[in-house]
Amino acid sequence: MLIKIRFDDLIWIKSELNYLELYCRENKHLIRSSLKEFIDKLPSESFLQVHKSYCINLKYITAIDHSNIWLKDVQIPIGRSYVETVKKLLNVEI
């Protein structure tokens, strides 16, 4: 089945082996894809990979510290290899 998901409705993505969990405003979807393949289809100005298993919609960030980003009540880890990219893109010192 094909389901249309607007970029604005997609909050974050979690990779689990060969599957992705797409967390949207109102529901969650499971698809078979690699995170890299999926990220390549997203607008780079709105989405950022922050961990080897997580990609977030920048619009939903509510807080950030040296190792985590919060999207409302959800805590997403920042991978060590992604810290510098996150700092540069968000223009923050964490």
Side-chain angles (χ1 to χ4, degrees):
M1 178 186 331
L2 293 176
I3 298 173
K4 184 177 181 179
I5 299 173
R6 294 185 35 206
F7 292 135
D8 282 349
D9 291 337
L10 182 57
I11 301 171
W12 57 286
I13 304 156
K14 181 181 179 184
S15 174
E16 291 276 339
L17 300 172
N18 295 327
Y19 291 90
L20 298 177
E21 295 175 9
L22 308 178
Y23 291 84
C24 300
R25 283 190 210 180
E26 303 204 7
N27 47 29
K28 179 174 93 167
H29 303 282
L30 185 66
I31 64 168
R32 185 172 171 87
S33 177
S34 74
L35 187 56
K36 168 114 176 66
E37 288 173 357
F38 196 78
I39 288 173
D40 288 343
K41 298 174 186 174
L42 296 172
S44 60
E45 65 277 358
S46 299
F47 291 88
L48 176 65
Q49 185 171 1
V50 296
H51 185 278
K52 67 179 182 177
S53 299
Y54 292 91
C55 179
I56 64 166
N57 186 333
L58 299 171
K59 170 182 168 179
Y60 290 97
I61 296 174
T62 55
I64 186 170
D65 68 20
H66 66 284
S67 60
N68 297 290
I69 290 179
W70 280 265
L71 309 174
K72 298 188 181 187
D73 296 334
V74 178
Q75 182 178 342
I76 305 289
I78 301 173
R80 284 184 291 181
S81 60
Y82 296 89
V83 170
E84 289 304 315
T85 303
V86 170
K87 285 168 48 175
K88 275 185 185 176
L89 187 71
L90 299 179
N91 197 24
V92 294
E93 196 59 45
I94 49 176

